[in-house]
């Protein structure tokens, strides 16, 4: 497989990674995700990694960079379904997902995205009320 499907759900994009990633596939996913955020105007991205037994340092860095790029494009990213062994390995290796929100599963991730977007909208209306 040379592409990971990205599904549009309202103003969210859902990425479900079902197999181990190699470097080229991770970079293709990043490119596809940025293009779809621009084309759809999505405000949130859910990345489900529940099927992954391993997340290497390159993949972790690309996911973190993608989340930062998405934020610049007005979309928040939530990483969901991380297996305990993956979390332990990331911490032991000193890797982190700076700027990436996490949730236990897709349902909680969607709730978190809605909450983040709601609070950002509240900040915007508060800002406009001050003007």
């Amino acid at each position: 497989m040379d592409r990971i499907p990205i599904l549009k759900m309202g103003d969210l994009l859902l990425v479900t990674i079902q197999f181990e990633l190699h470097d080229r596939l991770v970079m293709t996913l990043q490119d596809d995700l940025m293009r779809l955020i621009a084309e759809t105007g999505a405000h949130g991205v859910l990345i489900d990694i529940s099927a992954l037994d391993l997340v290497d340092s390159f993949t972790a860095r690309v996911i973190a960079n993608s989340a930062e790029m998405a934020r610049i494009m007005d979309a928040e990213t939530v990483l969901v379904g991380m297996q305990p062994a993956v979390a332990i390995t990331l911490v032991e290796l000193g890797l982190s997902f700076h700027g990436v929100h996490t949730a236990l599963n897709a349902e909680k991730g969607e709730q978190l995205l809605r909450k983040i977007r709601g609070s950002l909208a509240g900040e915007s209306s508060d800002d406009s009320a001050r003007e």
Side-chain angles (χ1 to χ4, degrees), residues 11 28 38 44 51 75-76 118 129:
D11 65 343
T28 301
E76 293 291 330

Side-chain angles (χ1 to χ4, degrees), residues 12 20 23-24 32-33 36 46 51 57 67 70 76 78 80 84 86-87 91 100 103 108 117-119 127:
L12 305 179
E20 297 302 323
D23 293 355
R24 187 171 49 98
D32 290 347
L33 195 54
L36 281 173
L46 281 175
S57 61
E76 293 291 330
V78 176
V80 301
V86 171
V91 170
V100 180
K108 290 183 186 278
R117 293 303 303 173
S119 66
D127 291 343

Side-chain angles (χ1 to χ4, degrees), residues 45-64:
V45 177
L46 281 175
I47 301 176
D48 179 7
I49 62 167
S50 59
L52 298 182
D53 295 326
L54 172 72
V55 174
D56 64 20
S57 61
F58 181 76
T59 300
R61 189 173 59 246
V62 172
I63 290 173

Side-chain angles (χ1 to χ4, degrees), residues 27-93:
M27 294 307 298
T28 301
L29 173 61
Q30 182 180 58
D31 292 343
D32 290 347
L33 195 54
M34 295 308 113
R35 181 181 46 79
L36 281 173
I37 290 170
E39 288 177 5
T40 65
H43 292 292
V45 177
L46 281 175
I47 301 176
D48 179 7
I49 62 167
S50 59
L52 298 182
D53 295 326
L54 172 72
V55 174
D56 64 20
S57 61
F58 181 76
T59 300
R61 189 173 59 246
V62 172
I63 290 173
N65 289 345
S66 297
E68 184 63 29
M69 291 177 205
R71 181 174 298 114
I72 291 170
M73 297 173 70
D74 195 28
E76 293 291 330
T77 300
V78 176
L79 192 64
V80 301
M82 187 180 300
Q83 299 295 324
V86 171
I88 290 167
T89 301
L90 290 173
V91 170
E92 286 178 350
L93 293 175

Side-chain angles (χ1 to χ4, degrees), residues 46 78 80 103-113:
L46 281 175
V78 176
V80 301
L104 287 178
N105 55 45
E107 181 179 1
K108 290 183 186 278
E110 182 180 5
Q111 291 171 353
L112 179 58
L113 277 174

Side-chain angles (χ1 to χ4, degrees), residues 120-131:
L120 290 175
E123 290 174 8
S124 295
S125 64
D126 290 344
D127 291 343
S128 64
R130 289 184 207 142
E131 293 179 7

